Amino acid sequence: MAEFDYDLFVIGGGSGGVRAARVAAATGARVALAEEYRMGGTCVIRGCVPKKLMVFASEYKEVFADARTYGWDVDDCTFDWPSFRSHLHKELDRLESVYRSLLDKSGVEIFDSRVTLKDPHTVQFANGVTKSAKHILVATGGHPNRPDMENAHLGIVSNDIFLMEELPKSILIVGGGYIACEFACILNGLGVDVTLYYRGAQILRGFDDEARGLIADMMREKGIDIHVGTNIVEMAPDSDRPEAGPAGSDAAMGAPSEHGKGIATNPKSETDPAARGPVWVKSTNGHEQVFDHVMFATGRDPSSHDMGLEEVGVKLGRRGEIVVDEYSQTNVPSIYAIGDVTKRVELTPVAIREGMAFVETVFKGNPTPVDHELIPSAIFTQPEMGTIGMTEEDAREQEEIEVYSTSFRPMQTAFADRPDRVMMKLIVSKRTRVVLGCHIVSPNAGEMIQMAGIAVKMGATKEQFDQTCAVHPTISEELVTMRDPIRSS
């Protein structure tokens, strides 16, 4: 009789957990996976996939306008949110069934239940049943946090966007990271009047200064009302707005709570966006305004609480992240963790690679540390941003560099007399000539950075970029035609 019920028990049915379960099962291991909500996790159900479909939808407004300049007889078009939303949810249902089918065909036993840890080798289901496993992998991801302030429940989070029965006429988005900026562009493109409050000096903190400055300029050009150095002091239902509120502080960015985790299944629950109504907001500069919705995009926290992790001795970090080593192993030898719950690099492809490395290490006898260096990523604002490697600011602190950069109006939208601009930027080491960073602000920047990322990951030099023949006429040809640095240090 086997010592354990399973060789591996995976907690969490997102991209990382599913990949790890399938690949482990392919080695002959007995594998089970539990997911308390829907298979596919944040990325498939309430993140990357539905967001990218909304990006596509939001771009057609300008496409139709440009078409007229290019000679097409296009009538005035209106956007039908209920129709799009219906198609969106059908697609998410299809993708969830694909994930389930992949697990089933791989021989992974699926449990649709929340589980907690009872001891280092035992999980307990919500109904009290327990199962044992030689190894436990936690892949529960993360969730949007809400500020610790009065009436924060009146605001929605990114999960709620996909549930709205109808689009609001106006929305305030609080935050300046990529989630805030992406949804600001999406909703603006769908015809919503968008205001954005960010307490910092410039949106997209941590990204290249020149690139984020151009994105901010283009967002304002498209009609998004960005207020930096600004935060919420008070908020209340419009019907209950105070006559005069007290002076406030940065409470809107205070300690997070567990509000907003997951997507509501009960339409009358407190996460139902339609249940709130207009919200009155007072900002740090004293301005008062009423919005149909307020959306908090002020960060995400690991979904690690109330799982029994600390009770079995697993070490958690300050934000609740599971602390792991380079092999994704916790301080409890039988328990591992991958993905956003570890708060290392919060990207879906990274979680998948962490899952693959885990299987190599534990089930194939090939200890494989996770490579978190030089990861390309994209921000789906309008225009998009693609980035890999060091920003100019970070590189300058480490060594002498040359900066190659160009900004121009792309042919397609210049012909339509739109003011859109794009930017290409390479950060180059003076000593080694290696390209340390590549930053692109442009339509389809995400597609470009995937290809450029291969060269940067391989350690290509600026001269090797230059030796590559340009593809003309394209935006991306500028990556191999910038001959003279605009500045160096």
Side-chain angles (χ1 to χ4, degrees):
M1 183 175 180
E3 181 181 0
F4 301 104
D5 295 321
Y6 304 100
D7 300 306
L8 173 65
F9 197 102
V10 180
I11 306 175
S15 299
V18 168
R19 178 64 63 88
R22 290 175 54 212
V23 178
T27 69
R30 297 164 300 146
V31 182
L33 181 148
E35 169 57 50
E36 67 174 305
Y37 177 57
R38 295 184 67 182
M39 209 64 67
T42 294
C43 182
V44 174
I45 302 299
R46 50 192 176 274
C48 317
V49 171
K51 175 196 70 182
K52 190 66 183 290
L53 292 171
M54 287 185 71
V55 169
F56 292 146
S58 69
E59 291 174 335
Y60 281 102
K61 181 180 179 181
E62 288 184 336
V63 170
F64 291 139
D66 290 350
R68 298 185 184 94
T69 304
Y70 279 89
W72 287 89
D73 183 9
V74 179
D75 294 333
D76 289 337
C77 300
T78 57
F79 177 66
D80 185 346
W81 169 257
S83 175
F84 169 77
R85 182 180 179 273
S86 175
H87 280 83
L88 175 66
H89 283 268
K90 286 179 182 177
E91 176 64 6
L92 300 186
D93 290 343
R94 183 188 72 82
L95 291 173
E96 183 184 10
S97 69
V98 168
Y99 268 61
R100 287 182 175 276
S101 176
L102 289 171
L103 287 168
D104 185 60
K105 290 177 181 178
S106 299
V108 177
E109 187 172 359
I110 300 172
F111 293 95
D112 295 300
S113 172
R114 175 174 175 78
V115 299
T116 56
L117 294 173
K118 189 172 182 180
D119 65 46
H121 291 283
T122 307
V123 297
Q124 181 170 334
F125 297 93
N127 62 4
V129 172
T130 61
K131 294 288 183 178
S132 63
K134 184 176 182 180
H135 304 286
I136 296 173
L137 178 65
V138 182
T140 48
H143 59 273
N145 66 42
R146 292 174 186 268
D148 184 15
M149 65 176 296
E150 186 177 1
N151 289 326
H153 68 281
L154 297 174
I156 64 174
V157 293
S158 57
N159 292 354
D160 301 318
I161 291 290
F162 314 112
L163 296 176
M164 295 188 297
E165 294 289 342
E166 58 184 33
L167 282 177
K169 292 183 173 60
S170 65
I171 191 168
L172 168 65
I173 297 178
V174 182
Y178 73 92
I179 294 175
C181 294
E182 286 176 340
F183 277 108
C185 291
I186 289 169
L187 294 170
N188 175 71
L190 297 179
V192 179
D193 184 6
V194 178
T195 301
L196 187 146
Y197 285 178
Y198 178 52
R199 65 176 180 173
Q202 180 60 286
I203 60 172
L204 298 173
R205 181 173 62 87
F207 293 94
D208 185 84
D209 281 354
E210 191 174 3
R212 64 193 185 126
L214 177 56
I215 290 174
D217 290 344
M218 289 295 96
M219 287 173 66
R220 288 188 172 101
E221 182 69 38
K222 294 176 185 293
I224 298 170
D225 188 15
I226 300 175
H227 297 256
V228 294
T230 306
N231 210 340
I232 292 181
V233 174
E234 282 184 275
M235 61 188 298
D238 183 38
S239 58
D240 298 333
R241 72 165 77 177
E243 291 297 324
S249 61
D250 282 346
M253 294 293 191
S257 72
E258 286 284 337
H259 251 332
K261 180 179 175 182
I263 291 184
T265 54
N266 176 359
K268 297 303 181 183
S269 73
E270 63 181 0
T271 57
D272 174 26
R276 293 173 178 80
V279 181
W280 168 86
V281 170
K282 182 177 181 180
S283 68
T284 49
N285 61 15
H287 179 71
E288 299 182 27
Q289 191 169 344
V290 175
F291 300 93
D292 287 343
H293 282 314
V294 173
M295 173 182 166
F296 291 113
T298 51
R300 295 178 61 84
D301 286 335
S303 296
S304 62
H305 297 291
D306 301 322
M307 288 184 59
L309 287 163
E310 291 177 293
E311 287 77 4
V312 300
V314 174
K315 183 179 179 181
L316 301 183
R318 184 178 62 87
R319 296 287 298 273
E321 70 274 17
I322 298 177
V323 178
V324 294
D325 65 12
E326 61 182 335
Y327 300 101
S328 298
Q329 188 176 34
T330 72
N331 60 305
V332 177
S334 61
I335 300 175
Y336 292 73
I338 61 171
D340 290 4
V341 75
T342 68
K343 213 168 180 64
R344 289 177 285 182
V345 179
E346 297 172 272
L347 295 170
T348 296
V350 175
I352 291 172
R353 293 178 77 89
E354 290 170 355
M356 298 286 284
F358 160 77
V359 174
E360 285 289 329
T361 300
V362 176
F363 291 95
K364 296 186 178 182
N366 177 30
T368 303
V370 179
D371 181 4
H372 288 122
E373 298 298 318
L374 292 174
I375 298 170
S377 62
I379 305 170
F380 296 104
T381 46
Q382 296 171 21
E384 291 179 14
M385 177 179 175
T387 181
I388 183 173
M390 292 187 183
T391 66
E392 177 181 347
E393 296 73 36
D394 289 341
R396 198 179 300 282
E397 292 179 0
Q398 296 193 21
E399 61 179 289
E400 292 187 348
I401 61 171
E402 291 180 346
V403 178
Y404 297 80
S405 183
T406 183
S407 181
F408 54 94
R409 295 176 69 194
M411 178 190 298
Q412 183 176 12
T413 51
F415 183 80
D417 199 29
R418 281 207 269 131
D420 298 40
R421 297 192 67 81
V422 302
M423 186 203 81
M424 301 281 166
K425 186 173 186 178
L426 297 176
I427 315 299
V428 179
S429 167
K430 269 190 176 182
R431 179 178 60 86
T432 65
R433 306 302 298 157
V434 167
V435 176
L436 303 174
C438 177
H439 310 283
I440 303 171
V441 178
S442 166
N444 299 310
E447 305 291 342
M448 293 187 213
I449 203 64
Q450 180 69 84
M451 298 297 102
I454 297 172
V456 175
K457 183 71 172 177
M458 292 176 66
T461 64
K462 177 63 169 65
E463 285 65 36
Q464 288 172 320
F465 269 67
D466 294 344
Q467 289 162 9
T468 304
C469 189
V471 178
H472 182 76
T474 64
I475 294 172
S476 57
E477 68 181 292
E478 298 292 333
L479 287 174
V480 298
T481 58
M482 294 184 286
R483 297 294 182 232
D484 301 312
I486 62 169
R487 53 186 170 270
S488 61
S489 65

